[in-house]
Amino acid sequence: MEAAGIRPAAQWVAKLLPNRPAVPVLGGVVLEAVGGELALSAFDYEVHARVVIPAAGLIEGRLLVHGKLFAEALGRMTGTVRMNVEGGRLVLDDGRRTIRLFVFPGDDYPATPEAPVTSGPIEAAALTRMLTRAAVAVGADEGKSLPLHGVKLHADDQTLTVYATNRYIAVQVSESWSGTPFDAVVDARRLLESVKGMNGPVELGANENHVAVRARDRKVTIGLIGNEYPAVERLLVQEPTEVRAVANRDDLVDAIATARMSVDTGKPLSIRFSPHELVLYAEGTVADSSAVIGVVECTATETLYVNPTYLLEITQHTPGPCVLIGPGASPKKPLVVLGADSTGEPDPSTKYVLVPIRMTPGGA
């Protein structure tokens, strides 16, 4: 087989394997040659991934090897890779390198789950884009009472929406949808890593236990991580008040990055809205910095204080050449950020809401 043909498949499956499997076989990848094709699959009770590639000439059979080492070995090989089983080892040889991987006993490998009935079609690129934008707000609270390391998928008759929050940022990302309705909360990283390896149209679906994504040559089934998720929808109804600005996105990203240079850990970035410009200012123990950018529209004056890292990540992921930014109408005045076109018309497909930092008199 050509290394360039099998390597992407092995690396895709390996990315979905656990770093610390509960038992060794769950860190393995199953190789199954049948009918001129090679299927690579992995399963750890939470994720089942499978990819099929052409493999004419392979002797039919099934074996289990260490998944991450298999992918790493192929990453070092070029040209034609010969695969043989010798003395309980899978031998990989490209003429210059030879790597022998122990074959695991397959008797203890668990049965894989049935995939949910598919719910509807969506382009892999569109789903990847949605999950990438939502990843900005994904938390790292795995194992705690609320699954903030997950994303909430909500599909109705017309729209598929991805929600995420880390308690400081909330985001909703939407795409048109022609499938059947469903709701699911699933591990954000694993779903994104799965979809990144897919191309063209995919089928997305869910049942009471799993989410599944199926492409032409690969599929993944991921276990749900619970039904409880913060009610981010209530925060995301916020719209900017009359204090709003529309700025060129690249200019705003540069201004945030410039002002952020001198911020000490945990210190805020101030944003002053005024009729013709946004002024960003940050002060640290050894430096201070500011940046001023002109705006297409700004109708009032106000100052907010926010986490500069969060604001930079949000702004980098907004769609369109411009950004509409401004405080929401609730008493806490969260910062609402949307992409916009060159005329200032907002793009409703992606909305971020950033919780501001409260400043005490004389605080910094």
Side-chain angles (χ1 to χ4, degrees), residues 86-219:
E86 300 176 359
R89 300 184 185 187
L90 176 65
V91 181
L92 306 175
D93 189 331
D94 70 351
R96 298 176 57 201
R97 308 166 188 84
T98 301
I99 299 175
R100 299 176 178 86
L101 302 175
F102 285 103
V103 176
F104 295 157
D107 297 342
D108 296 331
Y109 199 74
T112 56
E114 290 294 324
V117 175
T118 52
S119 179
I122 186 170
E123 286 293 320
L127 187 54
T128 300
R129 182 171 60 247
M130 294 176 74
L131 294 168
T132 300
R133 290 176 181 172
V136 174
V138 171
D141 293 27
E142 185 170 357
K144 296 188 178 181
S145 58
L146 292 175
L148 300 185
H149 64 293
V151 289
K152 178 180 177 180
L153 307 179
H154 171 74
D156 58 27
D157 293 332
Q158 298 181 319
T159 307
L160 173 68
T161 305
V162 178
Y163 296 99
T165 183
N166 60 7
R167 295 190 177 93
Y168 305 101
I169 309 171
V171 59
Q172 67 178 33
V173 189
S174 301
E175 287 279 342
S176 60
W177 173 255
S178 59
T180 55
F182 71 89
D183 285 281
V185 180
V186 65
D187 186 292
R189 182 192 66 81
R190 286 186 147 181
L191 182 57
L192 179 56
E193 289 293 348
S194 302
V195 178
K196 276 182 178 178
M198 299 181 179
N199 296 295
V202 300
E203 291 285 335
L204 172 67
N207 61 21
E208 65 275 12
N209 296 313
H210 299 92
V211 163
V213 188
R214 184 191 300 268
R216 178 184 56 82
D217 60 343
R218 59 191 67 189
K219 64 179 180 179

Side-chain angles (χ1 to χ4, degrees), residues 25-50:
V25 293
L26 297 183
V29 59
V30 175
L31 308 178
E32 187 171 10
V34 61
E37 295 181 327
L38 177 65
L40 295 82
S41 59
F43 177 56
D44 70 346
Y45 293 109
E46 295 180 3
V47 177
H48 175 223
R50 177 180 171 89

Side-chain angles (χ1 to χ4, degrees), residues 32-353:
E32 187 171 10
V34 61
E37 295 181 327
L38 177 65
L40 295 82
S41 59
F43 177 56
D44 70 346
Y45 293 109
E46 295 180 3
V47 177
H48 175 223
R50 177 180 171 89
V51 56
V52 179
I53 59 175
L58 284 183
I59 299 174
E60 294 193 356
R62 185 176 186 271
L63 55 82
L64 177 68
V65 296
H66 192 287
K68 292 187 182 293
L69 287 180
F70 179 65
E72 185 177 352
L74 289 170
R76 297 179 179 276
M77 295 190 167
T78 58
T80 301
V81 178
R82 290 174 292 278
M83 296 194 297
N84 297 290
V85 178
E86 300 176 359
R89 300 184 185 187
L90 176 65
V91 181
L92 306 175
D93 189 331
D94 70 351
R96 298 176 57 201
R97 308 166 188 84
T98 301
I99 299 175
R100 299 176 178 86
L101 302 175
F102 285 103
V103 176
F104 295 157
D107 297 342
D108 296 331
Y109 199 74
T112 56
E114 290 294 324
V117 175
T118 52
S119 179
I122 186 170
E123 286 293 320
L127 187 54
T128 300
R129 182 171 60 247
M130 294 176 74
L131 294 168
T132 300
R133 290 176 181 172
V136 174
V138 171
D141 293 27
E142 185 170 357
K144 296 188 178 181
S145 58
L146 292 175
L148 300 185
H149 64 293
V151 289
K152 178 180 177 180
L153 307 179
H154 171 74
D156 58 27
D157 293 332
Q158 298 181 319
T159 307
L160 173 68
T161 305
V162 178
Y163 296 99
T165 183
N166 60 7
R167 295 190 177 93
Y168 305 101
I169 309 171
V171 59
Q172 67 178 33
V173 189
S174 301
E175 287 279 342
S176 60
W177 173 255
S178 59
T180 55
F182 71 89
D183 285 281
V185 180
V186 65
D187 186 292
R189 182 192 66 81
R190 286 186 147 181
L191 182 57
L192 179 56
E193 289 293 348
S194 302
V195 178
K196 276 182 178 178
M198 299 181 179
N199 296 295
V202 300
E203 291 285 335
L204 172 67
N207 61 21
E208 65 275 12
N209 296 313
H210 299 92
V211 163
V213 188
R214 184 191 300 268
R216 178 184 56 82
D217 60 343
R218 59 191 67 189
K219 64 179 180 179
V220 64
T221 304
I222 305 175
L224 304 187
I225 55 176
N227 297 318
E228 296 296 326
Y229 198 78
V232 292
E233 299 92 336
R234 291 182 297 184
L235 181 61
L236 286 159
V237 299
Q238 296 280 336
E239 296 292 344
T241 62
E242 70 279 0
V243 182
R244 59 172 64 193
V246 176
N248 177 276
R249 187 183 67 176
D250 292 342
D251 290 345
L252 184 56
V253 167
D254 181 70
I256 298 167
T258 299
R260 175 175 172 260
M261 289 173 55
S262 61
V263 175
D264 293 335
T265 302
K267 294 293 185 178
L269 172 75
S270 72
I271 308 175
R272 190 179 78 227
F273 294 81
S274 61
H276 303 293
E277 61 187 18
L278 282 177
V279 180
L280 289 80
Y281 176 78
E283 182 177 346
T285 55
V286 296
D288 62 76
S289 54
S290 63
V292 180
I293 57 172
V295 295
V296 176
E297 171 192 348
C298 190
T299 54
T301 301
E302 188 159 347
T303 300
L304 291 181
Y305 299 88
V306 297
N307 181 301
T309 300
Y310 289 157
L311 181 60
L312 181 61
E313 291 177 348
I314 285 172
T315 308
Q316 289 171 330
H317 285 86
T318 54
C322 293
V323 176
L324 188 154
I325 183 171
S330 75
K332 293 185 178 180
K333 294 185 177 179
L335 187 66
V336 182
V337 183
L338 301 96
D341 63 20
S342 57
T343 68
E345 184 66 27
D347 181 343
S349 69
T350 303
K351 179 192 285 187
Y352 294 98
V353 175

